[in-house]
Amino acid sequence: MQRCGRVPLWLLGSVLLIRFTSGISAVDRDVQQTRPDSRPEPPSESTPNQSHADHGHGSSAVGGIPVVTFKWHHVETPYQVALWILVAGLAKLVIEANHHVTNVIPESALLICFGFILGGIIWGADKVQTFKLNPTVFFFYLLPQIILDTGYSMPNKLFFGNMGAILVYAVIGTCWNAASLGLSLWGCHQGGAMGDLDIGLLQYLLFGSLIAAVDPVAVIAVFEQVHVNEVLFILVFGESLLNDGVTVVLFNVFDAFVSLGGARINAVEIIKGIISFFVVAFGGSLLGLVFGLLISLLTKVTQKVKIIEPAFVFVLGYLSYLTAEMLSLSSILSITFCGVSCQKYINANMAESSVSTVRYVMKVFANGSETIIFVFLGISAIDTEIWVWNTGFILLTLFFIFVYRIIGVFFLTWILNRYRLVPVEFIDQVIMSYGGLRGAVAYGLATLLNESKIKEKNLMICTTLLVVYFTVILQGITMKPLVNWLKVKKAAVSELTLIEKLQSKVFDHMLVAIEDISGQIGHNYMRDKWNQFEERWMTRILMKKSVRKSRDCVFKVFHQLNLKDAMSYVAEGERRGSLEFVRNESAFIDFKKKFVDDCSGAMPDITACMSDDYSAMSSMSRIDQVPSVSLEMHEQNMKGVRETEDINTHHLLQQHLYKGRKQHRHRYSRSHFNVNKDENEVQEIFQRTMRNRLESFKSAKMGVSPPKKISKHTKKDQQQKVPNGKSTENGKRYFSGDEDFQFPEGDASGFAASDGSHPFPMTYRAGAGIENPAYIPDLDPMAAEIPPWLAEYDAGPVAPSQRAQLRLPWTPSDLGRLAPLRISTRSNDSFAQADAPAAQQKDDEPPTPSKRDGRNM
Amino acid sequence: MGASQTRPEHRHQDLADRTGFSLEQIKNLHKRFQQLSGDEDTISKENLESIPTLANNPIRKQIIGAFFDKSAFAECLLAAGGAPHFPYRHQRGFILFGLRNQHRGEAGSCDQIGFEQFLMVMSHFRPPTLKMTAEEKEAMRREKLRFLFNMHDTDNDGTITLVEYRKVVEELLSKSGSIGQEAAEAIADAAMLEVASTNVPTMGPDDFYEGITFEHFEQILKGLEMESRMHIRFLDVDTTTMRCGKSTS
């Protein structure tokens, strides 16, 4: 990456990508075309390069002052970097676009494969690999942001709750992996399994240490797509994060041993090595904590400079990495703990926009460099220089890595399970051992090897690469099927409801109390003590005064739910073309108060209040979206305080400004949630489709006499009252509400005419919900419009759990009521075919019977 | 009576079989029990409330209340009924009313509980072991939830009413300082609505959601991850050393 390159190659790369997407296979031709261009340029010589470029640009440089000059060399490095980022980004874009592929093959594996292709092109053009993942770039510019991101978005409670296990896996497990691999390879070497290699025991141990660590980048890339349960995830993830630090430390220790030479290593040196191991690891972590606190303190006072506020986080995070590197402490651990320790405080201290900026930028950096790392891991493979094949060494390494990982995980888990409160299950252990993916850190360390001291450096790089490919590609691909096959407990995808959050908080307190009562000093006791300490000191020092209150997690959930409601509320308003109703500030509070009043009175007569309140009813009855009833409830109140003309205008507009039919169709192709169920659109569509359907149904309806209909109807009514579980009066009352709603609008919609006969609308409504699905096959012209209705109707009882945070307890029935109401419009329809003139009046009562008759005949 | 008093190991063994605690753990807990009760055979609410470490637990009243919940311990009648020597009456009582948590009919709470009840409550919070079957885990979960439910259900009528729920939420949030009572109320209301809308989606408009029954409670907390978190480590030894063994013998 750091050395020369040439523009055409980059163009080629991008062109290739574009070709990729469009499926045009003109790559070969392209290569043929570009190659002559790139050949005459000798690498890293500017003059011919420039002259060539000038030629390309025509004759601007004739003499005198050049109007335009082409200064490739001037911009070479940044240009290359930018182009590489672009290429990697495009690669990601292409890969993400093919979702069905990423479902099977993890993204990381695809990126590596893409790297193979790119590397092949470069090699084909150059006959030498000019771009490699270079350790400086990797460790200074690509790795830090990934680690910072993982630290920053670490689930703290889970992480510290499983800290013991994670540390055991990360420290002991990594040491075990390194030692066992090194010793076994050495043993095999002594046994003559690898032929003639110039590798001593120390070099083997060095190799073992560099390849021992599970790579966080690879692990997250794979496990993110699998959604295993959170304990398993945090174990694998935490281990991979911390053992990176461990492996770097181990590597440095063994590197020092190797430079020292076997002869001069004595007990003192070994003890020094062990001490330095701990100093480096814990020193790094401490340094990270210090920097984390520093960031927290800084963000406490940065509210005046909101724009650069997020930058502090990145700069200080990066500084913690560099400082640790400078002090030869573990930089990875440093930046990890920096992220872990500061997240809580900076999220509270900074403005909301800054927090999301930090989050996004962090993700952009991390995701970007992850992509680049994988692509370069692929590119690095296409290089004849490093491919030194030694069957014994390579295969044995692969085998040992796999086996020792399994042994290590099972043995350590066996020990841990004796002490763990909740044992790690067998299946989880299998996944853990299978999830031992190696990645770029190992490769970066391998390239750091000193060739003068280690003769077989290329063999080691080659083996490391193979191990990386093997684990990331093969194990990555098989991970998902394995997880499914073993039925590993998956993470619950549902988001936490408020009550669950509340209850888990209650549970926390309860556990502490039980521990207190039983006189134990356990995990919960310690956590409680820590929380108190944190509450008393840390937050006071590190957090802005103003934000301490909103920090409570229950309150946060509540706040988020409110925010979500508000968002959909606004969306709803925009969809209706007016945000007017949002501006009423008192509405929310009003609603609250009303609700409180209603609840304190044991049995509030909500229906009476609703049918009295015209505006309330109207808003209820023209609900467009079932899932957002909570919003309607707000609105209902808001409407209540506004002038009638306003409402009327609003309704009128709403009535007449519905979308044309074409757009309506288009809407159906979108998600169910957004389907517009405007009453009048439905009416319109129904009128238009009426004529078609008339033909097909007419013959069936002809002989039916009204009395028969009615009698059947009432019979049906009686049958259905029970299953529907709604009392007759309720239906009636609602209906009267409907009338109220329809009349003032002066619209000729169907419901207005039906007011004379109360029981009928009620009954058709009762029937409709059950009856209509049976008719779907019959209603061919309507088929396109049906699914949204049904979907909504089905969604009705299910949806409210999340969204109905602010709904009155009795509104679910309204849900049930609204959907059939809409379906009933369809019934209206079917009646109309039977009796075309009657359709003009749009009498509501007979549709169900007529339909039923149609079926009977 | 006297016979079993002379053989505490036997008695403890019996309890161990039933509760799943190891003998050491029972010994420790018994020591603790005596310490708390002042060497009495029964323990009262005041005893528990005087535990100093409990002082800053915002919902200690409810938690302690759940210990003394009659519906959870039918046998506490016997305990309160003046059984002077703790375990012996209880043993019998326990055999008679072996079905804990089933006696929904008896409302109210008792003032005193014996060691056995104390141990029973504690046993709900034992960590699961690898050997446990799915049913046993499920039963444990239910017991925990029952305790949690009783905690909220202060008047022991089998439902958590809004008023009761609000009270808990308020106290829960009272420690976190600046959240006002109004916010707490709003949160409680919203949570209650959540329960209502999840459990009774087809409720009629005149229906009033009276409160959370245990079935609803169970339903709504289905997603709550309990198996991996909601446990307490009971030490085998009566020190604060961190050498902890598996809780079941």
Side-chain angles (χ1 to χ4, degrees), chain A residues 372-393:
Chain A
I372 291 171
I373 286 172
F374 280 121
V375 169
F376 268 95
L377 272 180
I379 292 176
S380 307
I382 315 297
D383 185 2
T384 41
E385 204 179 285
I386 59 163
W387 288 108
V388 184
W389 189 263
N390 182 319
T391 318
F393 187 81

Side-chain angles (χ1 to χ4, degrees), chain A residues 505 548-557, chain B residues 173 176 179:
Chain A
K505 188 143 194 191
R548 268 178 235 151
K549 83 169 79 167
S550 55
R551 228 175 27 80
D552 191 275
C553 73
V554 173
F555 189 80
K556 221 186 282 165
V557 174
Chain B
L173 297 175
S176 36
I179 296 185

